């Protein structure tokens, strides 16, 4: 079973570099943080997943993490939703919600 350990200081740095659109209070948007397990890279993930669907989802890469947000009611129309579970690279990703990440860094 792959395991990813991220130091709390690094996690705080990642969250401090989140785009302004990520992690807000808008309940119509679902915010996630995708962690890329080594040796995978952002370029490999992007190649497998493709472009985010305009108007429905957004991504932003920082270090070994990808901020990913999408319109909750239209998740089935997004490009990344099914691919996070079914692409060739899915086993090299682990995803947590913005709320979970925020709880961890407040520990």
């Amino acid at each position: 079973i792959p395991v990813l350990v991220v130091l709390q200081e690094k996690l705080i740095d990642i969250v401090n570099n989140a785009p302004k659109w990520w992690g807000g209070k808008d309940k119509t948007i679902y915010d996630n943080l995708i962690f890329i397990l080594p040796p995978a890279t952002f370029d490999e993930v992007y190649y497998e997943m493709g472009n985010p669907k305009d108007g429905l989802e957004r991504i932003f890469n920082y270090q070994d993490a990808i901020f990913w947000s999408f319109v909750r009611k239209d998740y089935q129309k997004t490009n990344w939703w099914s691919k996070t579970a079914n692409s060739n690279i899915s086993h090299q990703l682990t995803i947590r919600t913005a709320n979970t990440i925020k709880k961890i860094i407040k520990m």
Side-chain angles (χ1 to χ4, degrees), residues 18-88:
K20 294 189 185 315
W21 48 259
W22 187 86
K25 296 186 188 284
D26 185 351
K27 299 290 186 195
T28 66
I29 304 297
Y30 200 73
D31 297 309
N32 293 292
L33 190 55
I34 301 173
F35 293 96
I36 305 167
L37 283 71
T41 65
F42 172 76
D43 289 340
E44 292 170 320
V45 173
Y46 194 86
Y47 177 79
E48 285 290 324
M49 308 289 261
N51 292 323
K53 186 79 107 182
D54 284 340
L56 295 181
E57 59 187 332
R58 300 168 114 176
I59 63 166
F60 175 76
N61 178 49
Y62 181 76
Q63 294 186 9
D64 297 324
I66 303 169
F67 295 91
W68 172 44
S69 299
F70 56 87
V71 177
R72 188 182 296 258
K73 70 176 180 64
D74 293 323
Y75 75 93
Q76 292 176 323
K77 297 176 186 174
T78 67
N79 192 36
W80 281 43
W81 177 262
S82 64
K83 292 181 181 178
T84 56
N86 298 316
S87 69
N88 291 331

Side-chain angles (χ1 to χ4, degrees), residues 11-27:
L11 185 58
I12 290 169
D13 176 59
I14 290 169
V15 171
N16 284 340
N17 285 280
K20 294 189 185 315
W21 48 259
W22 187 86
K25 296 186 188 284
D26 185 351
K27 299 290 186 195

